[in-house]
Amino acid sequence: MGDMNGSSEHLERKKPADGHGRAEPEGDLPRQAWTLLFELMHTHMRNFPALAAEFDLSPVQAHVLRQLGEGPLAMSTLAAYLSCDASNVTGLVDRLEARGLVVRRSSEQDRRVKRLVLTDEGAALRERLLQRMSEPPEAIAGMADEDLCALRDIMRRALCSQ
């Protein structure tokens, strides 16, 4: 989907969605907007493995730390979030636990259920990770303030409708 340097030149070179050189119908604006937003995010997320490595984390470990900020999380819920078998989560959690970033605690309602909790060190690393993740790509950072305000307001409205 996009080139590796994150430029949008390839969008101008692509044929319109109909593949015949005709302009897309104006009624297809939602699809056009979504496609461009998805393209921007996809291009930016290609850098996520390198970003996670800055913190000596795998991309999956970084996602786990991000997810754990909402509070304790059952390992089964984490497995569902990661779309993997619970046995795969065990090794992942073992590595995070060995680094002192998370601890396993039995659920108060069901001692068989293990919940993951961030340690103070894990919470601090998560905060640094989130700060780094919130740094916008140049395609966004270089926009005019007026455009950034409009984009922010549009994204807020889109998220509020969820």
Side-chain angles (χ1 to χ4, degrees):
M1 276 190 136
D3 59 13
M4 294 303 284
N5 68 10
S7 81
S8 61
E9 290 178 339
H10 66 283
L11 294 175
E12 295 159 9
R13 287 181 277 147
K14 280 185 180 176
K15 287 185 179 179
D18 73 358
H20 301 291
R22 293 188 300 262
E24 294 181 41
E26 222 174 284
D28 207 21
L29 283 173
R31 183 180 300 277
Q32 292 173 31
W34 174 245
T35 299
L36 291 168
L37 180 59
F38 186 83
E39 181 79 19
L40 178 65
M41 289 302 299
H42 181 73
T43 299
H44 184 62
M45 289 309 293
R46 288 184 187 134
N47 300 322
F48 191 70
L51 187 148
E54 291 176 23
F55 299 91
D56 199 27
L57 297 168
S58 71
V60 175
Q61 289 173 327
H63 281 299
V64 169
L65 289 181
R66 185 179 159 274
Q67 191 70 19
L68 284 174
E70 303 299 318
L73 188 66
M75 287 183 59
S76 58
T77 303
L78 179 58
Y81 167 72
L82 296 174
S83 300
C84 69
D85 190 72
S87 62
N88 293 338
V89 172
T90 301
L92 175 66
V93 171
D94 286 345
R95 289 185 291 281
L96 290 171
E97 198 170 36
R99 282 189 60 186
L101 301 175
V102 299
V103 293
R104 290 178 177 105
R105 295 209 175 119
S106 295
S107 168
E108 293 175 11
Q109 292 79 22
D110 185 346
R111 290 183 15 172
R112 295 171 296 175
V113 174
K114 299 299 179 196
R115 299 175 64 85
L116 301 175
V117 179
L118 284 174
T119 63
D120 289 343
E121 185 179 346
L125 180 62
R126 179 183 182 276
E127 184 59 34
R128 292 194 335 263
L129 175 68
L130 291 179
Q131 285 294 321
R132 181 68 176 85
M133 287 174 64
S134 69
E135 293 174 14
E138 184 54 40
I140 299 296
M143 295 175 85
D145 286 351
E146 181 179 319
D147 291 339
L148 289 170
C149 287
L151 181 59
R152 178 202 59 207
D153 295 345
I154 291 165
M155 292 293 102
R156 279 183 180 159
R157 286 194 307 271
L159 287 170
C160 285
S161 69
Q162 295 295 309

